[in-house]
Amino acid sequence: MNYESYFRSELDALRREGRYRVFADLERKVGQFPRARWNSPTGPRDVTVWCSNDYLGMGESRIVLDAMHTALDTCGAGAGGTRNISGTNHYHVLLEQELADLHHKDAALLFTSGYVANWAALSTLASRIPGCVIFSDAGNHASMIEGIRHSGAPRRVFRHNDPEDLARKLSEFDRSVPKLVAFESVYSMDGDVAPIAEICDVAEAHGAMTYLDEVHAVGMYGPRGGGVAERVGLLDRITVVEGTLGKAFGVVGGYIAGSAALCDFVRSHASGFIFTTSLPPAVAAGAAASIRHLKASPREREVQQQRVAQLRARLKAAGIPHLDNPSHIVPVMVGEPVRCKHISDRLLEEFGIYIQPINYPTVARGTERLRITPTPRHSEADIDALVAALQAIWSEVGQREAA
């Protein structure tokens, strides 16, 4: 087999479909977010980023940076090993305590990313609990799907955000059979929110544990940023909360929170935890500082929600199609991959606005989109510029499509 020829032909196919992914070479500017420097093929340019997962701009917060500098100067760069072999720094211990408190749980356990947290925790729980059957929402993230598959446990997929379908599938099994219901609070691409109370009702009626992915909600919702489950007062009914440090908290890493025994069980058996070098102490220090700040400060969440409402109103007035949902994620629907990339390229090259096109397999074919995430650091002038640019391009593309 000519391997290089195969690789090139597959990449050419992605290009023809409009699905080939091009990375924007960006340099974030401390103190100027959402501005960034784009190292374009023709030279550096200043751009406004509208698709960052740093939802609250905490990645450049002085509170976070000062904590990281202190830890770096105190402990050095890396952790020096896995958590089991010399890699548990005191900053890791303090961060896990902050996370447990955030979610009103006994304990928390750190991982190197949200993806790894889902993969490791779900695969460990489902494979190690004898006879466990796992029930997965059809909209779950790839990390959850991979963890469930890796477990080898029997699984049932229930219709997205459908407690009645979940109840039907749970009823196929005796109450004595161990069960785990895995779902998300805020779904990252459509921005819809799970009916957590109804899912908990069904799970409890059938003797099932609940595993809630809150990666797009931690820091963003609830009086202390504990996520949607905190906002609706249901943390006590969730067996495992999974979250990330790489979105609203502004750094990197993932975690689970639950009972002390459950977290210790995962710690003791999950290969994705045991055999991975732990997070740098400076990252843990920055994350803990970010969490502490957002527990006490609702200001960032309030302004962010104002910006979301303002953008939605402007898009509606301009006739730009976008999904109406109750979250902070604003998907502008395009519906065709080549057109989606074309709009994204023009926004960047002509208007200095960066929004990455979202195509298959991240979303289903025919639902290609621009996923916009307003932050409290976007101004009303930024919103005006974004909507004006979208209107100009949409008008031209629409006229071309009609012709």
Side-chain angles (χ1 to χ4, degrees):
M1 182 179 186
N2 186 327
Y3 299 110
E4 288 299 310
S5 176
Y6 171 74
F7 297 149
R8 286 193 293 269
S9 67
E10 289 295 298
L11 291 171
D12 287 342
L14 288 177
R15 291 186 181 94
R16 286 192 300 272
E17 293 178 42
R19 296 198 294 116
Y20 182 76
R21 299 181 180 189
V22 178
F23 294 160
D25 181 352
L26 302 174
E27 295 177 45
R28 283 160 50 110
K29 297 183 176 184
V30 173
Q32 299 181 45
F33 182 77
R35 307 289 178 260
R37 171 177 165 148
W38 172 42
N39 294 302
S40 77
T42 59
R45 290 180 54 190
D46 287 342
V47 299
T48 302
V49 178
W50 274 99
C51 57
S52 175
N53 281 342
D54 187 359
Y55 293 138
L56 300 177
M58 292 301 293
E60 67 163 31
S61 166
R62 249 355 309 165
I63 295 166
V64 174
L65 297 181
D66 288 347
M68 294 183 75
H69 280 298
T70 298
L72 186 63
D73 292 339
T74 303
C75 300
T82 65
R83 289 290 298 275
N84 190 47
I85 304 176
S86 82
T88 295
N89 187 279
H90 189 54
Y91 284 110
H92 297 124
V93 176
L94 295 176
L95 175 54
E96 286 175 339
Q97 291 172 355
E98 286 289 348
L99 290 164
D101 174 75
L102 177 67
H103 296 292
H104 301 284
K105 299 297 183 186
D106 297 333
L109 188 66
L110 285 173
F111 293 86
T112 50
S113 72
Y115 191 106
V116 173
N118 270 334
W119 181 87
L122 283 167
S123 63
T124 299
L125 290 168
S127 65
R128 287 278 177 171
I129 299 173
C132 184
V133 180
I134 196 153
F135 298 80
S136 176
D137 188 288
N140 277 346
H141 189 264
S143 58
M144 303 175 79
I145 295 168
E146 287 299 316
I148 292 164
R149 284 176 178 165
H150 184 74
S151 74
R155 61 186 182 273
R156 297 290 185 274
V157 178
F158 61 95
R159 285 199 296 265
H160 179 52
N161 280 349
D162 190 336
E164 292 183 3
D165 191 49
L166 172 62
R168 283 190 290 270
K169 288 180 167 56
L170 282 165
S171 66
E172 298 172 11
F173 298 87
D174 188 83
R175 184 180 170 83
S176 63
V177 174
K179 308 173 196 71
L180 177 62
V181 176
F183 63 111
E184 301 180 40
S185 59
V186 177
Y187 287 84
S188 64
M189 289 299 131
D190 285 351
D192 52 335
V193 177
I196 298 176
E198 291 84 351
I199 289 175
C200 286
D201 289 343
V202 171
E204 290 165 2
H206 292 270
M209 297 183 294
T210 47
Y211 183 105
L212 179 63
D213 177 318
E214 290 251 42
V215 296
H216 293 278
V218 290
M220 303 295 292
Y221 302 98
R224 301 194 309 157
V228 177
E230 184 196 33
R231 182 180 69 178
V232 296
L234 294 172
L235 277 171
D236 61 318
R237 299 178 67 186
I238 303 297
T239 311
V240 184
V241 176
E242 185 269 345
T244 184
L245 307 171
K247 294 183 171 62
F249 294 132
V251 286
V252 67
Y255 65 90
I256 62 169
S259 72
L262 184 147
C263 290
D264 199 11
F265 180 85
V266 174
R267 180 191 71 87
S268 299
H269 292 294
S271 62
F273 175 85
I274 295 169
F275 299 107
T276 300
T277 299
S278 54
L279 289 171
V283 169
S290 182
I291 293 164
R292 281 193 295 270
H293 174 76
L294 291 174
K295 282 178 179 176
S297 172
R299 178 62 179 165
E300 291 81 0
R301 291 186 284 276
E302 291 169 355
V303 177
Q304 196 270 347
Q305 289 162 12
Q306 291 171 10
R307 295 293 180 262
V308 171
Q310 290 165 346
L311 176 60
R312 287 188 184 279
R314 291 297 312 281
L315 289 173
K316 184 176 181 180
I320 304 295
H322 62 285
L323 288 183
D324 187 15
N325 63 51
S327 77
H328 59 284
I329 295 165
V330 184
V332 169
M333 305 306 291
V334 180
E336 199 280 324
V338 174
R339 187 176 177 226
C340 193
K341 187 176 187 308
H342 171 77
I343 296 171
S344 173
D345 288 346
R346 288 194 58 187
L347 283 170
L348 184 59
E349 293 162 7
E350 297 177 26
F351 297 93
I353 291 171
Y354 172 54
I355 309 174
Q356 186 72 10
I358 306 295
N359 295 331
Y360 178 85
T362 305
V363 296
R365 296 180 192 275
T367 69
E368 290 81 6
R369 67 199 63 189
L370 301 173
R371 178 183 179 273
I372 301 175
T373 52
T375 76
R377 305 199 183 206
H378 286 95
S379 67
E380 293 187 38
D382 290 331
I383 294 174
D384 291 341
L386 170 62
V387 174
L390 279 171
Q391 274 185 297
I393 298 171
W394 217 271
S395 174
E396 288 186 34
V397 171
Q399 290 171 3
R400 192 180 307 132
E401 291 285 318

